[in-house]
Amino acid sequence: MYLIEMDKKTEFILLAKKLGRIILIRITAILKISIFLGIVFWVGLFLFLSTPLLQAEGSAFNLSEKGFFNLIQEGDEFSGFKVKGKPTYYSPENLFSYINGAAELYLSHGFRSLLSVEWTRLGEQDEVIVLEIYDMGNRKNASTIYEIEKAGKKYLLPEGTESTITNNCLQFYKNSFYVRVISFFPSEGCPSILKEIAHTIEKRIGKKRIN
């Protein structure tokens, strides 16, 4: 009788140990999975927060990946004007944040993307020039926007592209791109700087896209 009870106790202890090992293995597995998921979550969150988003004010971007390859180049300088910060990119989703009043016009004519670059020249009064390059998808759309927006006197760029120019704005279109160069300072020499920038962009567009 005593031996039978001992066997039962031994069997119970062995079973308890076995169950304990199974529970420990499962708990360990759950902890490993939890740690792994936690790492994945925090790494994903970090990558998400560190990735440039299409925010309201635009975002820095890789020119070669957005269809504006070589239109703006590192080190570009015009009559003392140097690029301020990084170029910004706007898509159909956030164009309203840049040109709220006119965004619908562009969107209704095939707007794809916008590159905006700011140049500054330091002096007694900081001078600013902004270059806007709108990718309108095809030549017809770019031409339509140009015809609607153009103002001032006609001016033929060196590569043969028609443009219009005022004291503070030069605009033209070439292939699928509509381009505006805008100055925010009063100066008699301003038009010549606008022409210089416009000529550079006209030349770089070349036959990049013909639709």
Side-chain angles (χ1 to χ4, degrees), residues 95-211:
L95 182 63
F96 280 96
S97 67
Y98 187 74
I99 49 169
N100 186 26
E104 190 58 43
L105 171 65
Y106 287 80
L107 293 172
S108 64
H109 287 87
F111 170 83
R112 288 185 177 179
S113 53
L114 162 64
L115 167 68
S116 177
V117 185
E118 184 175 308
W119 277 280
T120 59
R121 183 170 64 182
L122 301 180
E124 295 182 2
Q125 179 179 341
D126 289 357
E127 300 170 330
V128 178
I129 288 179
V130 174
L131 168 67
E132 300 172 347
I133 305 177
Y134 296 81
D135 183 353
M136 299 304 300
N138 59 53
R139 184 193 299 273
K140 181 180 179 181
N141 291 340
S143 172
T144 299
I145 293 296
Y146 170 73
E147 291 297 327
I148 294 173
E149 297 277 15
K150 69 180 181 180
K153 298 179 180 179
K154 286 187 178 181
Y155 169 71
L156 196 64
L157 292 169
E159 298 289 320
T161 303
E162 178 190 301
S163 71
T164 57
I165 186 170
T166 64
N167 287 331
N168 68 339
C169 182
L170 186 151
Q171 48 203 345
F172 70 92
Y173 81 94
K174 187 167 186 178
N175 298 342
S176 65
F177 297 99
Y178 168 63
V179 181
R180 287 199 305 184
V181 191
I182 309 166
S183 69
F184 293 89
F185 67 96
S187 170
E188 292 183 359
C190 177
S192 64
I193 300 174
L194 300 183
K195 291 175 182 179
E196 182 182 356
I197 295 174
H199 178 208
T200 299
I201 301 304
E202 176 205 26
K203 188 174 181 179
R204 288 177 183 172
I205 290 175
K207 295 183 179 180
K208 175 177 172 54
R209 179 184 299 155
I210 299 178
N211 293 304

Side-chain angles (χ1 to χ4, degrees), residues 48-86:
F48 174 78
L49 293 177
S50 62
T51 300
L53 300 177
L54 296 179
Q55 301 170 346
E57 68 276 16
S59 58
F61 70 100
N62 185 326
L63 294 176
S64 64
E65 294 178 355
K66 298 298 182 182
F68 295 99
F69 182 66
N70 278 341
L71 296 186
I72 302 299
Q73 298 176 7
E74 186 175 355
D76 277 346
E77 183 176 341
F78 303 96
S79 300
F81 282 87
K82 297 181 180 180
V83 174
K84 178 182 179 182
K86 295 182 179 180

